[in-house]
């Protein structure tokens, strides 16, 4: 894989490339160390894709930086374009830095070793290079989520005004924006979660404030050997803004990746308000989850406890399908309400939830919601509750969740936040932000069809759901391809991965 570009390359280059490969294999064998360092090296085709964009039009000698350069995959490939004397790198792993230097020396033996040693250094990439400016900053910085990130990244994140949970990779992206000259490019591999993760919001805002995403790569399959993490590369041009830039929504970049995941583009009308205007959307958390445990039994006479897995579009399978709650299987999970009220802790919570509402599964192939008309069910974490200000809106709200343009919009906008990238995940806040339709007559018809779908016998429900989806597509945008996409997803078996 390494050095495959030229079968006649000098021995020194081949040996250096072999050393890099041996270093990676060594890291791959020491899995814990690799994970701790975030050292998963970039496939050559992706390196070339990044450099095609980041170094496009750069003259030889234009300075390029990879602040977490590992054994130098980006540096060696960049050196072949701008020259060894122009590439700079840093990494905390001294062995990797030594190999990167050797590989660069092998690329161009006329560049003195001391010069290469000054350009490629053992250092924290978040702290080194202060005051320097490069034509391009590229690379594949470490992905270290909150649990594994205890070192430099964290203090750097807080120093930069980023939240403590910001992934190190996003901190590197943020830092790199300050290291390029006006008109320069930052192109760094990121976990797909950078698209929509709340903690990456300030980083996306900084990108939009200082420049623009001018190109974008992502894959619906993992491309890094040894990790299932999905990745993307936003190519950011800092400073002057080319006219052709697609507008990027700082609240989420998911729409950039939507085409790679087969999610159709929808342009929802705005101005008709949002779900949050009609209802209060709430999520429950640990307190409710653990608080309920002592009161949950397998008993058809109790107050039904509805889990995510029991919610299908316009349908609750409570009592007809087994489910899990708190690591136990149940056929008819229910809450002993009298005992819960006597205990007191969750009494007010239960009263607030036992009202007419919609229950929405936290994630699914489509948005899955069901109406609790009588207000007789309790949600199990992470089910969301949507309580309308006016109970007359229950079916209209259900119809909104069954509208393919809304689901496609949510799928794109919040891509990368679900447990599996194929699933649509919405939080309570995002549910409240879903737009309402602009055609009241079609919406009213959709609401009636949704009501019929929920009350229908199982055999009749698919046709009624399809009719609801058709009408609700009209209620938003006339016709578009989201209807076919939604129908396909509805009829494809879901992979239920949500915790119960
Ligand atoms: C995913 S690897 C990528 C290496 C290289 N960009 C490539 O694609 O070949 C991430 C690298 O970041 C290094 N690293 C982790 N934390 C770092 C930090 N704070 N500063 C510099 N490098 C760091 C690791 O040692 C590892 O070599």
């Amino acid at each position: 894989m390494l050095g495959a570009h030229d079968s006649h390359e000098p021995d020194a280059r081949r040996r250096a490339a072999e050393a890099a490969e041996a270093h990676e294999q060594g890291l791959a064998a020491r899995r814990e160390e690799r994970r701790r360092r975030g050292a998963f090296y970039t496939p050559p085709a992706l390196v070339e894709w990044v450099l095609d964009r980041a170094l496009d039009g750069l003259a030889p000698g234009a300075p390029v930086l990879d602040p977490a350069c590992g054994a130098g995959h980006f540096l060696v490939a960049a050196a072949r374009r701008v020259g060894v004397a122009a590439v700079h790198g840093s990494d905390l792993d001294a062995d990797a830095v030594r190999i990167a230097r050797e590989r660069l020396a092998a690329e161009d033996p006329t560049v003195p070793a001391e010069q290469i040693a000054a350009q490629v250094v053992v250092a924290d990439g978040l702290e080194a290079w202060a005051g320097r400016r490069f034509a391009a900053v590229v690379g594949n910085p470490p992905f270290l989520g909150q649990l594994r990130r205890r070192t430099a990244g964290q203090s750097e994140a807080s120093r930069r005004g980023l939240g403590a949970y910001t992934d190190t990779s996003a901190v590197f992206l943020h830092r790199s924006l300050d290291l390029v000259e006006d008109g320069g490019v930052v192109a760094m591999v990121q976990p797909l979660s950078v698209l929509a993760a709340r903690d990456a919001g300030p980083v996306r805002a900084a990108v939009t404030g200082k420049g623009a995403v001018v190109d974008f790569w992502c894959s619906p399959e993992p491309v890094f050997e040894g990790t299932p993490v999905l990745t993307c590369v936003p190519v950011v041009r800092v400073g002057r803004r080319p006219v052709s830039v697609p507008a990027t929504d700082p609240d989420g970049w998911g729409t950039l990746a939507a085409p790679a995941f087969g999610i159709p583009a929808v342009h929802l009308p705005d101005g008709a308000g949002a779900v949050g205007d009609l209802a209060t959307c709430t999520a429950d958390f640990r307190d409710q989850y653990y608080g309920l445990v002592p009161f949950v039994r397998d008993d058809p006479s109790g107050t039904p406890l509805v889990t995510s897995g029991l919610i299908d579009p316009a349908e609750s399978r409570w009592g007809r399908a087994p489910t899990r709650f708190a690591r136990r299987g149940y056929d008819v999970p229910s809450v002993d309400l009298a005992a819960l009220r006597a205990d007191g802790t969750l009494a007010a919570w239960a009263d607030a939830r036992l009202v007419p509402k919609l229950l929405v599964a936290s994630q699914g192939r489509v948005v899955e919601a069901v109406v609790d008309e009588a207000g007789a069910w309790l949600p199990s974490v992470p089910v969301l509750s949507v309580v309308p200000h006016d109970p007359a809106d229950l079916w209209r709200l259900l119809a909104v969740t069954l509208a393919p343009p809304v689901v496609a919009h949510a799928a794109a906008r919040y891509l990368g936040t679900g447990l599996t990238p194929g699933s649509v995940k919405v939080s309570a806040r995002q549910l409240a932000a879903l737009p309402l339709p602009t055609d009241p007559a079609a919406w009213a018809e959709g609401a009636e069809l949704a009501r019929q779908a929920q009350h229908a016998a199982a055999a009749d429900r698919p046709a009624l759901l399809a009719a609801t989806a058709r009408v609700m597509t009209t209620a938003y945008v006339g016709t578009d391809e989201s209807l076919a996409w939604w129908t396909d997803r509805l009829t494809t078996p879901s992979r239920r991965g949500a915790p119960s």
Side-chain angles (χ1 to χ4, degrees):
M1 168 169 99
L2 288 163
H5 64 103
D6 180 2
S7 55
H8 301 293
E9 64 190 356
D11 276 359
R13 252 194 214 178
R14 186 174 39 77
R15 275 199 307 275
E18 282 168 5
E21 199 149 15
H23 176 71
E24 278 164 36
Q25 279 164 2
L27 275 179
R30 303 191 301 276
R31 286 174 56 187
E32 251 324 296
E33 181 186 342
R34 174 155 87 163
R35 282 175 24 150
R36 186 164 43 75
R37 288 184 187 273
F40 292 92
Y41 292 98
T42 316
L46 181 54
V47 171
E48 296 302 329
W49 186 96
V50 168
L51 296 181
D52 282 349
R53 272 112 197 126
L55 308 192
D56 183 32
L58 288 190
V64 173
L65 170 69
D66 179 347
C69 65
H73 293 356
F74 278 96
L75 294 185
V76 169
R80 290 176 187 161
R81 300 176 185 230
V82 293
V84 167
V87 297
H88 302 72
S90 46
D91 201 290
L92 291 174
D93 179 346
D95 284 341
V97 166
R98 180 182 46 77
I99 292 164
R101 288 172 177 165
E102 285 168 8
R103 292 176 72 190
L104 289 171
E107 286 295 312
D108 184 353
T110 68
V111 181
E114 312 79 67
Q115 184 181 335
I116 294 178
Q119 288 170 204
V120 182
V121 295
V122 180
D124 184 333
L126 291 171
E127 287 172 357
W129 315 110
R132 299 285 296 272
R133 289 287 179 279
F134 298 87
V137 179
V138 296
N140 173 16
F143 300 179
L144 303 173
Q146 44 165 315
L147 295 178
R148 270 181 259 125
R149 180 177 35 72
R150 254 176 255 110
T151 51
Q154 199 157 18
S155 56
E156 184 61 25
S158 51
R159 196 160 46 241
R160 305 186 71 80
L162 303 173
Y165 294 111
T166 314
D167 193 286
T168 313
S169 54
V171 184
F172 267 93
L173 172 57
H174 195 257
R175 160 99 174 129
S176 301
L177 298 173
D178 297 335
L179 296 177
V180 280
E181 55 203 31
D182 192 38
V185 172
V186 174
M188 304 195 113
V189 180
Q190 298 282 303
L192 198 64
S193 59
V194 78
L195 298 175
R198 202 171 181 169
D199 300 303
V203 178
R204 292 190 298 268
V207 165
T208 321
K210 293 187 174 170
V213 179
V214 291
D215 210 332
F216 186 78
W217 171 92
C218 82
S219 166
E221 307 291 337
V223 299
F224 289 85
E225 227 180 283
T227 164
V229 175
L230 293 180
T231 47
C232 64
V233 182
V235 179
V236 181
R237 189 172 288 278
V238 172
R240 73 179 128 84
R241 201 173 281 244
V243 264
S244 61
V245 173
T248 41
D249 176 357
D251 197 29
W253 287 348
T255 45
L256 294 167
F261 287 82
I263 303 171
V266 285
H267 301 285
L268 290 179
D270 48 11
V275 165
D277 299 338
L278 298 186
T280 306
C281 305
T282 346
D284 296 312
F285 296 101
R286 302 173 62 88
D287 287 355
Q288 290 80 26
Y289 179 82
Y290 290 109
L292 275 177
V293 171
F295 305 105
V296 176
R297 314 154 309 173
D298 222 352
D299 174 1
S301 70
T303 299
L305 181 71
V306 179
T307 61
S308 260
L310 291 174
I311 301 174
D312 276 343
E315 183 184 4
S316 156
R317 297 187 302 147
W318 186 87
R320 286 185 292 111
T323 189
R324 292 186 67 77
F325 172 75
R327 301 177 192 277
R328 248 201 70 186
Y330 288 88
D331 291 322
V332 276
S334 68
V335 175
D336 181 344
L337 205 56
L340 180 121
R341 287 205 166 111
D343 171 79
T345 316
L346 285 183
W349 170 82
D351 289 340
R353 292 286 176 277
L354 288 170
V355 293
K357 63 187 171 294
L358 240 76
L359 292 184
V360 184
S362 59
Q363 60 183 312
R365 297 275 299 160
V366 295
V367 176
E368 298 174 322
V370 63
V371 166
D372 171 21
E373 219 173 348
W377 305 338
L378 285 172
S380 160
V381 176
V383 171
L384 306 173
S385 300
V386 178
V387 178
H389 308 321
D390 178 353
D393 283 331
L394 274 176
W395 302 106
R396 298 207 305 154
L397 289 164
L398 179 62
V400 166
T401 70
L402 291 169
V406 168
V407 181
H409 163 88
R413 205 171 156 130
Y414 306 121
L415 195 99
T417 53
L419 285 181
T420 55
S423 63
V424 184
K425 184 181 183 206
V426 280
S427 66
R429 189 173 60 95
Q430 293 157 354
L431 208 50
L434 293 179
L436 298 176
T438 42
D439 178 340
W443 188 9
E445 191 186 341
E448 174 53 22
L449 284 163
R451 192 187 64 80
Q452 290 176 20
Q454 184 165 327
H455 289 151
D460 300 330
R461 187 170 296 115
L464 284 159
L465 285 176
T468 313
R470 261 194 314 276
V471 169
M472 288 307 291
T473 303
T474 325
Y476 278 92
V477 283
T479 55
D480 75 10
E481 50 183 311
S482 65
L483 179 59
W485 169 83
W486 182 89
T487 310
D488 178 58
R489 291 178 69 92
L490 181 71
T491 48
T492 310
S494 70
R495 279 165 287 162
R496 291 186 185 281
S500 54

